Amino acid sequence: MTYYVYILTNKNKNVLYTGITNDLIRRVYEHKQHFDKNSFTSKYNVTNLAYFEKTTDVKAAIEREKQIKSWSRMNKFFLIKEKNPAFEDLYGSLLG
């Protein structure tokens, strides 16, 4: 199975959310549709997929999520900028 660690942002790129999932397309769709109206991502409209990485090792994915969550905002921005300098919403690229 494949696991994804991902970072979402809002349209102003000033709020970041880091998560983990085994189905990135489904999970980002859920964020975009505000499935959980009381969630952090719904409250702050954090729906743009700015970054993701994948692994087949669930333990590695969990540790990576914890690592990224512990970083400063600046370090998270640097991570995103390495692979997505324009902070584009990568969700469309997942759909083909």
Side-chain angles (χ1 to χ4, degrees):
M1 183 171 285
T2 303
Y3 300 91
Y4 300 88
V5 177
Y6 63 95
I7 301 175
L8 300 175
T9 190
N10 62 344
K11 75 173 187 171
N12 296 324
K13 298 166 185 61
N14 61 353
V15 179
L16 298 174
Y17 171 84
T18 304
I20 184 174
T21 185
N22 66 352
D23 186 340
L24 188 58
I25 292 172
R26 174 193 50 80
R27 189 67 184 116
V28 175
Y29 177 80
E30 290 172 353
H31 287 298
K32 287 182 174 294
Q33 297 303 313
H34 303 290
F35 272 34
D36 180 356
K37 303 293 184 205
N38 299 315
S39 70
F40 176 88
T41 57
S42 289
K43 182 177 179 181
Y44 294 100
N45 202 29
V46 180
T47 59
N48 295 332
L49 179 63
Y51 176 87
F52 68 92
E53 55 189 60
K54 61 184 177 178
T55 181
T56 57
D57 183 344
V58 67
K59 289 181 182 180
I62 292 167
E63 286 303 312
R64 182 65 168 156
E65 179 196 26
K66 288 178 185 177
Q67 178 187 42
I68 292 171
K69 283 184 171 186
S70 74
W71 289 354
S72 68
R73 173 188 299 276
M74 184 183 306
N75 285 345
K76 293 174 191 175
F77 275 103
F78 286 141
L79 178 66
I80 295 166
K81 282 195 158 285
E82 278 181 26
K83 293 191 177 175
N84 186 5
F87 274 68
E88 295 175 22
D89 186 356
L90 302 175
Y91 182 68
S93 68
L94 297 176
L95 301 176

